[in-house]
Amino acid sequence: MKNLLKLLLLGTILFGCAAVPTVPPAPPVKEVAPTKEAYYFRVRILVQIDDNRKPIIGLEEIATILTETEPYFEPMGLHLEVSKFNLVEIGEDVNVGNLHSDADAHPDCLSIYFVNLNAVTALDFMLKQKIVPSAFTMLPKDYPSSGIYLFNNGGFHGHVLAHEIGHYLGLNHTMTDTEISDIVVGEHPDYCNVMNYSTCNPLNLSFTKGQFDKMRATIREYRTKILISSNP
């Protein structure tokens, strides 16, 4: 995450529109030699530009979101190391399927997209169910190379990104998760778990030991390609 401020406006991803000017790529991320349990994820940040060709979220706000996210994973030492920063030009014909394809093309990174919900038409299936998501990703067993998509209707927050990383690392919602023994299953708005739809202050949210164990296992099974380094 410390590399983020060095990566302003690096590169272009083009989705059927005029190209954004490109500058030389970012330098490679330096290898880290952890001394205790730690997982360093290689991260791509992709930000949609609006009709005036301006990013829909600023670089400092993104840095704040990443800074807010990492403490939720402190017991397992997860760190988000930004290696690339791109502006994304999204046309009306682009949807989550296209973004999945972009994530597929970068299997060595966790791709995090900051996008306008209205531009992501593949979410119609959610909207028809009267679900208006603030973020979206897929479980690795269903779609191993999915990115994480944060939408501008409430998704630009550290606890939301932490929730989606939980899914990215194999966790289900606590409301329906019957695999992990140390969580409270069911509809409990006052249960302060990151994977719950709770009314808790985001600062009070946390994962359980069982959830951390599940995320570690998912990294070993599905996410080794995005690791810069790890211990163990």
Side-chain angles (χ1 to χ4, degrees):
M1 196 271 291
K2 60 182 178 295
N3 296 315
L4 178 59
L5 297 178
K6 300 178 182 179
L7 298 169
L8 178 61
L9 309 185
L10 294 178
T12 295
I13 290 182
L14 179 63
F15 290 117
C17 300
V20 179
T22 303
V23 297
V29 178
K30 184 179 180 181
E31 291 289 330
V32 181
T35 58
K36 59 181 181 180
E37 183 182 20
Y39 302 88
Y40 289 81
F41 280 8
R42 185 181 296 104
V43 175
R44 298 167 68 226
I45 298 292
L46 303 103
V47 180
Q48 182 181 352
I49 59 174
D50 61 21
D51 293 340
N52 295 317
R53 305 180 70 77
K54 295 182 179 179
I56 63 173
I57 181 174
L59 191 65
E60 290 186 4
E61 188 176 353
I62 293 174
T64 297
I65 292 169
L66 297 182
T67 300
E68 292 174 350
T69 300
E70 287 190 353
Y72 292 107
F73 299 91
E74 185 175 356
M76 64 183 291
L78 177 61
H79 300 277
L80 305 175
E81 297 294 322
V82 178
S83 62
K84 295 180 182 178
F85 181 93
N86 299 84
L87 294 181
V88 183
E89 195 160 6
I90 298 181
E92 293 181 357
D93 58 338
V94 173
N95 54 42
V96 163
N98 300 95
L99 299 182
H100 278 336
S101 296
D102 176 68
D104 282 342
H106 299 84
D108 61 337
C109 296
L110 163 56
S111 298
I112 302 175
Y113 301 82
F114 292 82
V115 295
N116 183 339
L117 177 65
N118 295 331
V120 189
T121 56
L123 289 171
D124 284 349
F125 75 95
M126 284 184 161
L127 300 178
K128 288 176 182 178
Q129 298 177 40
K130 298 182 179 180
I131 299 173
V132 181
S134 57
F136 177 72
T137 191
M138 297 185 71
L139 294 174
K141 66 179 182 180
D142 299 325
Y143 200 102
S145 59
S146 173
I148 291 177
Y149 314 102
L150 303 178
F151 305 126
N152 62 340
N153 66 325
F156 295 174
H157 296 284
H159 68 280
V160 177
L161 178 55
H163 179 100
E164 296 306 316
I165 290 175
H167 286 314
Y168 184 80
L169 296 180
L171 298 183
N172 290 299
H173 292 128
T174 58
M175 298 86 77
T176 58
D177 193 338
T178 58
E179 297 180 6
I180 297 177
S181 61
D182 62 352
I183 63 172
V184 178
V185 180
E187 301 285 344
H188 301 283
D190 59 346
Y191 179 41
C192 298
N193 188 284
V194 175
M195 301 310 295
N196 186 31
Y197 288 160
S198 77
T199 57
C200 299
N201 185 317
L203 296 177
N204 296 329
L205 299 175
S206 63
F207 294 106
T208 68
K209 179 182 181 301
Q211 288 174 317
F212 280 119
D213 288 344
K214 174 67 174 180
M215 288 190 283
R216 292 181 181 102
T218 301
I219 290 173
R220 291 192 294 269
E221 183 172 0
Y222 293 101
R223 303 305 186 197
T224 56
K225 289 183 179 180
I226 69 172
L227 286 174
I228 299 170
S229 62
S230 66
N231 182 44

